[in-house]
Amino acid sequence: MFHVGGARSALQNWIYARQQGGVFVLRIEDTDAARNKPEWTEGILSALDWIGIERGSYEGPYFQSSYAGEHRAAAQRLYEGGRAYYCDCTREAVQARSGSQYSGYDGYCRDRGLEPAPGRALRFRSPDEGATVVVDLIRGEPTFENKLIEDFVIARGDGSPVFLLANVVDDMSMGITHVIRAEEHLPNTPKQQLLWDALGVKPPVWAHVPVVVNEKRQKLSKRRDKVALEAYRDEGYLADAMRNYLMLLGWAPSGDREIVPWSVIEEEFRLAEVNPSPAFFDEKKLRAFNGEYIRALPVDGFVAACQPWLTGTDTIPPPPWQPEEFDPAAFDAVAPLAQTRIAVLSEIVPNVDFLFLADPLIDEGAWAKAMKEGAGELLDAAITAFEAQATWDAETLKSTLEAVGAQRGLKLGKAQAPVRVAVTGRTVGLPLFESLEVLGRERTLTRLRAARVRLP
């Protein structure tokens, strides 16, 4: 899955590259076999397509595994230049020497002169003095004392380079000038910058954007939070709404506004204006955003946007009706009513399913709430009154039921509750009388009679 935080960072990289006349480079870091499958890569590419970073408009995707030779060559250069050394210490041995499981590596093998051999890791020789200054477009110049940076591993005992080195070498190979990534990578940056210096290449410009957190101000976690961009897509969030919201995680456009055209975001976004404080991913706010974007669609655009939920796709389950039961004309008739009431497109299904099913899906909780004492007599009267109407339109149906309710001392809201549940199966939904008009006389009366049979 593609993390919403990663999507936010991708958008910021994308915009910055376009603003600077540069190139957005997509690299898939696939050296961890357990986390690498072709369908997962395709999921990332598809998610990027969805938010507007479309295939063909960027360089790549490149795959880190394709650069294994360059990684090994860089490790060898560092070893031959005296900037790295081999180490055969186990974690247990390091802990035994320090007496603590929390202590870092103590430099034990620095001067042992070990040769390459199976099981021996290659460690970078960190400077003992001075400091490493990271020039960051968002955070200024964070400074790290070199004496606090342990001699870190750059190649494993089997010779395979670790991420820190592979990442640096890939950036060098691909001519990366700016790295815009999440704050959680900041502790890695002084180590990577030391590697750039040791390999004789000027480091890139860094920009560490704020970490994305949940309502408890905890870092968004795939084990605890809904973080997959694909999940939001399949729930019915619009791409325009999602990317507008993602860009607000740590930044804001000018003026007292948040919902703005993408062209405004592209023009106004500045990395230096990104707030380094943690950014709260507020799903309720995103939902409200999405509702605004849905209501702003032209009706035909809304109808088109709903289609995946009306038919089902590879990732969206099919609706409860059979394809032949769907009536496009009926849907078109109620679409403007639904458009004002839903916040995500998946909600279209429970709002319109009563139109395309032989019998409504009855919510038993709604039935118990609406079908209280007197509901049977009210349905009897409603059936009789509706049968007597020569015309079948929303206004006539409304005035008819209003009169039925008034005869029993009920306001329209109370009178229509049993009718709504009998016809739609739910206590909430689209405007009732417009729904009855589209459903039609015979189907409405059939459902009212079936509901009446269930009542004493």
Side-chain angles (χ1 to χ4, degrees), residues 230-231 233-236 306-323 345-350:
E230 301 94 320
R233 178 191 62 195
D234 293 345
E235 191 177 337
C306 288
Q307 293 308 306
W309 290 269
L310 302 177
T311 59
T313 69
D314 291 341
T315 56
I316 297 171
W321 58 80
Q322 295 301 311
L345 293 174
S346 58
E347 292 174 347
I348 194 63
V349 173

Side-chain angles (χ1 to χ4, degrees), residues 115-146:
E115 296 291 326
R120 291 179 179 177
L122 185 64
R123 289 183 178 273
F124 182 78
R125 188 186 296 269
S126 298
D128 295 323
E129 299 177 349
T132 297
V133 178
V134 174
V135 178
D136 192 297
L137 293 180
I138 295 172
R139 299 173 187 278
E141 297 186 356
T143 301
F144 301 84
E145 295 290 330
N146 289 334

Side-chain angles (χ1 to χ4, degrees), residues 29-43:
E29 292 172 339
D30 62 339
T31 51
D32 184 345
R35 300 174 63 187
N36 175 40
K37 291 185 178 180
E39 59 268 31
W40 295 347
T41 296
E42 174 57 31

Side-chain angles (χ1 to χ4, degrees), residues 3-6 8-9 12 138-139 181-184 208-221 224-225 227 244-252 258 273-283 285:
H3 196 290
V4 291
R8 186 273 310 266
S9 297
Q12 291 173 330
I138 295 172
R139 299 173 187 278
R181 60 186 184 180
E183 175 187 0
E184 63 199 74
H208 287 88
V209 298
V211 66
V212 181
V213 298
N214 62 18
E215 69 279 359
K216 296 181 180 179
R217 299 306 187 266
Q218 301 167 316
K219 177 187 169 186
L220 280 188
S221 166
R224 178 185 58 239
D225 306 301
V227 301
N244 184 168
Y245 181 72
L246 288 175
M247 287 301 296
L248 299 181
L249 298 176
W251 176 81
E258 292 184 312
E273 296 175 0
V274 172
N275 188 326
S277 301
F280 172 33
F281 189 91
D282 187 344
E283 191 174 344
K285 184 174 181 179

Side-chain angles (χ1 to χ4, degrees), residues 1-11 14 24 26 28 38-55 57-58 61 227-234 237-244 246 262 315:
M1 59 87 189
F2 192 36
H3 196 290
V4 291
R8 186 273 310 266
S9 297
L11 284 170
W14 169 254
F24 177 84
L26 178 64
I28 306 296
E39 59 268 31
W40 295 347
T41 296
E42 174 57 31
I44 292 172
L45 301 181
S46 175
L48 287 173
D49 284 339
W50 182 61
I51 57 172
I53 305 177
E54 298 178 343
R55 277 172 264 210
S57 65
Y58 51 78
V227 301
L229 190 68
E230 301 94 320
Y232 288 98
R233 178 191 62 195
D234 293 345
Y237 284 85
L238 297 175
D240 286 347
M242 176 58 80
R243 65 180 185 173
N244 184 168
L246 288 175
W262 184 249
T315 56

Side-chain angles (χ1 to χ4, degrees), residues 160-207:
S160 61
V162 301
F163 168 77
L164 281 173
L165 179 62
N167 189 253
V168 166
V169 174
D170 290 345
D171 284 351
M172 291 178 180
S173 301
M174 298 175 192
I176 300 301
T177 59
H178 292 70
V179 173
I180 304 167
R181 60 186 184 180
E183 175 187 0
E184 63 199 74
H185 293 288
L186 183 58
N188 291 331
T189 308
K191 297 178 181 179
Q192 291 182 304
Q193 191 156 306
L194 287 171
L195 288 171
W196 279 83
D197 292 337
L199 290 167
V201 183
K202 181 182 178 181
V205 175
W206 309 97

Side-chain angles (χ1 to χ4, degrees), residues 235-439:
E235 191 177 337
Y237 284 85
L238 297 175
D240 286 347
M242 176 58 80
R243 65 180 185 173
N244 184 168
Y245 181 72
L246 288 175
M247 287 301 296
L248 299 181
L249 298 176
W251 176 81
S254 62
D256 187 18
R257 56 183 181 163
E258 292 184 312
I259 297 179
V260 295
W262 184 249
S263 59
V264 172
I265 293 175
E266 283 194 305
E267 180 181 349
E268 293 192 358
F269 177 71
R270 298 291 183 273
L271 268 178
E273 296 175 0
V274 172
N275 188 326
S277 301
F280 172 33
F281 189 91
D282 187 344
E283 191 174 344
K284 292 180 180 178
K285 184 174 181 179
L286 171 60
R287 180 180 169 85
F289 255 59
N290 202 63
E292 292 290 331
Y293 270 89
I294 286 176
R295 289 185 283 278
L297 291 171
V299 174
D300 58 347
F302 173 71
V303 170
C306 288
Q307 293 308 306
W309 290 269
L310 302 177
T311 59
T313 69
D314 291 341
T315 56
I316 297 171
W321 58 80
Q322 295 301 311
E324 63 273 12
E325 295 176 313
F326 181 72
D327 181 352
F331 181 75
D332 290 349
V334 299
L337 306 174
Q339 186 174 2
T340 64
R341 286 166 170 77
I342 67 173
V344 292
L345 293 174
S346 58
E347 292 174 347
I348 194 63
V349 173
N351 272 277
V352 303
D353 60 2
F354 73 96
L355 288 171
F356 311 122
L357 294 168
D359 300 301
L361 299 172
I362 301 294
D363 181 324
E364 293 302 329
W367 179 276
K369 182 178 179 181
M371 300 303 186
K372 295 180 180 177
E373 185 178 354
E377 291 76 9
L378 186 141
L379 289 180
D380 283 334
I383 292 168
T384 301
F386 285 160
E387 287 175 333
Q389 297 307 314
T391 58
W392 191 265
D393 60 74
E395 284 301 316
T396 299
L397 297 170
K398 179 180 179 182
S399 59
T400 299
L401 189 58
E402 205 164 20
V404 169
Q407 292 171 1
R408 285 157 180 76
L410 299 174
K411 292 184 177 180
L412 182 59
K414 293 288 187 181
Q416 71 178 7
V419 174
R420 178 184 289 279
V421 173
V423 174
T424 71
R426 299 178 176 88
T427 54
V428 295
L430 304 184
L432 176 61
F433 303 106
E434 288 82 351
S435 298
L436 300 185
E437 179 180 339
V438 175
L439 186 64

